[in-house]
Amino acid sequence: MVNDSFDNSMLKSDLLAMLQAEHPTMCRRWFDDIRVLGVTGGVILIQIMEPVQLKYLQRCCVQQFADAAQSVTGRLLGVRFVGDESEETQPSARLVSGDSVVLGAAPEEDMLISPDYNFDSFVIGPGNRLAHAAATAVSSRPGQAYNPLFIHGGVGLGKTHLLQSICQTAMRLHGSMKIYYVSCNGFMTQFLGAVQAGEMSLFRNKFRAFDMLVIDDIHDLSKRDQTQEEFFHTFNTLFQSGKQIVLSSDAPPGEIPYLEERLISRFGCGLVASVDPPGFETRVAILTQKAKMRGVELSDDVASYVASQLDANIRQLEGAITKLQGVAMLDQVEITLALAKQVIGGRAVSEQVKNTSIQDILDCISGFYDIKLTDLLSKKRHKSITVPRQVGMWLSRKHTRFSLEEIGGYFGGRDHTTVMHAIKSIDTKRGADDFFQREITTIEAQLSDKVGRIAR
Ligand code: ADP
Ligand code: MG
């Protein structure tokens, strides 16, 4: 390799140090496994043997590496990531993910398998033990252990992590398997693209040729009649020829609204396993594991403290690590319990409450239900307006600190008994109607996006 007079191993350590300084949250311990092959023609060649890691670097890290390379060498350099060069000659498992699709219109979705999501980094606890065991069984004996494997649970509880772990492990264990990982939305986009381009047979051939089809967030099929129909046939073809199907969803099959009966019964005919929120000890273990992966020192007392403060889901825990890492880097201090208390403490639960205004809620409601603000605040009593209005009051009670009177004031000058009544009736409706509950969850997610959560 022509090497414009750089010492490769020194270049590597300088590069990694620069990345650690500039992009601490991007860095992973496995970055240590990269090899700088040399500099040629203004490009640094960097090798990584693991295909999933290679793909990830190529997709997500080129710019950061190039910037770092330019800083440490003082030269205008590009970066190219290459894999195991002997690979061309050996057949290996193929992992096709949403981005490499050639059908019809280019899919919006370009899903990527994250090197972070593997079984080694997955912490097992009482809430996910069964799902994890089933996932490992499926990856070692695809099509034989549990088929389909259906994993369901709330947001941020590890479904995507498990699905991607299955893909990575199956890829490693089964040389020639064709594995396809895609989100349900990715599947739909490709399907609609194929319909529009008149390429349905191409679409069918593609999907029915996989040995393992892994679809994330299958609940998104809800209300998509045409896609449900198509997916039903894809499912049957694969299933009947013993191909493995793995699905994740935010609800068990029978509770996905507007899902056809025949799909419900198929989704439930293998193993249905849930992932439940982690208890305190599992949260501590996850924090410790995530910190280790990112090369962050987290003492036991800090991990316990953070785990005791944050219990909604695991993304929140990761956000806390990112935040602590950021503050510690910026102020050049260690992550101590005192720092954690200062950064996370007290604010964890209330940050969103503090930040949310009733205007945010009104905006979300009028956007979600597609009704005018003036109607929302008017005296109109049509159901299409009263329910959204009540949802707005309910959300205001939950997400802001305003009193019942104040909320009533914002919602067109209603008195506090009206607000109280609204809250009660929404609570009753939520309990009795899953679909309605999901609507509320969706609005809350939009609200939280709007307001911007703590620890992001
Ligand atoms: P979901 O798909 O269920 O919404 P994800 O799989 O995206 O959730 O998980 C959210 C984050 O939490 C990810 O970064 C994931 O690595 C992490 N996570 C979830 N469960 C675990 C676990 N048991 N061990 C380690 N990390 C976890
Ligand atoms: Mg997910």
Side-chain angles (χ1 to χ4, degrees), residues 45-308:
L45 281 184
I46 294 176
Q47 186 179 47
I48 183 93
M49 299 307 228
E50 191 58 57
V52 173
Q53 295 173 347
L54 171 65
K55 195 149 182 240
Y56 183 80
L57 289 171
Q58 288 170 334
R59 289 284 305 282
C60 303
C61 307
V62 172
Q63 191 58 49
Q64 291 88 334
F65 270 75
D67 292 345
Q70 289 166 21
S71 304
V72 300
T73 61
R75 301 209 351 221
L76 196 61
L77 289 175
V79 164
R80 204 165 96 231
F81 296 108
V82 297
D84 182 357
E85 264 144 14
S86 59
E87 205 179 46
E88 293 327 46
T89 53
Q90 292 167 3
S92 67
R94 275 194 289 160
L95 181 74
V96 196
S97 79
D99 56 317
S100 44
V101 172
V102 281
L103 282 168
E108 267 185 18
E109 168 101 10
D110 49 353
M111 179 86 62
L112 182 66
I113 296 279
S114 165
D116 290 351
Y117 293 171
N118 53 54
F119 285 130
D120 290 340
S121 65
F122 190 83
V123 175
I124 303 162
N128 60 30
R129 191 177 303 281
L130 176 64
H132 173 268
T136 52
V138 159
S139 60
S140 51
R141 290 181 296 128
Q144 293 167 40
Y146 308 104
N147 205 13
L149 171 60
F150 189 99
I151 297 178
H152 68 90
V155 77
L157 296 182
K159 300 182 296 296
T160 298
H161 191 137
L162 279 175
L163 261 51
Q164 297 201 2
S165 302
I166 293 176
C167 295
Q168 297 203 45
T169 302
M171 221 176 29
R172 206 161 294 139
L173 295 179
H174 309 285
S176 56
M177 262 185 82
K178 270 185 84 185
I179 301 166
Y180 191 74
Y181 171 86
V182 69
S183 73
C184 183
N185 282 326
F187 179 85
M188 282 190 295
T189 310
Q190 291 177 49
F191 169 67
L192 295 175
V195 171
Q196 270 163 17
E199 287 173 344
M200 271 315 293
S201 61
L202 213 64
F203 176 88
R204 292 197 174 120
N205 291 340
K206 175 190 158 176
F207 274 92
R208 296 175 195 182
F210 292 116
D211 301 310
M212 186 192 280
L213 181 60
V214 180
I215 302 199
D216 211 350
D217 294 328
I218 197 73
H219 54 263
D220 287 329
L221 272 188
S222 162
K223 283 190 179 171
R224 306 292 181 135
D225 295 348
Q226 222 192 346
T227 324
Q228 284 194 27
E229 166 87 26
E230 186 56 36
F231 184 68
F232 177 74
H233 296 297
T234 305
F235 184 101
N236 284 345
T237 310
L238 290 174
F239 187 73
Q240 277 153 16
S241 42
K243 305 298 173 60
Q244 179 70 48
I245 297 162
V246 182
L247 304 168
S248 83
S249 158
D250 65 359
E255 292 174 23
I256 303 176
Y258 303 109
L259 188 67
E260 291 175 22
E261 207 47 58
R262 55 184 185 168
L263 278 176
I264 297 180
S265 74
R266 281 189 177 56
F267 289 178
C269 75
L271 182 76
V272 176
S274 68
V275 283
D276 298 319
F280 174 72
E281 272 151 37
T282 312
R283 295 203 297 279
V284 173
I286 291 174
L287 276 165
T288 310
Q289 144 72 30
K290 293 276 173 205
K292 203 172 101 193
M293 194 170 77
R294 295 179 177 201
V296 176
E297 292 281 338
L298 209 62
S299 63
D300 291 349
D301 57 347
V302 173
S304 304
Y305 173 75
V306 176
S308 71

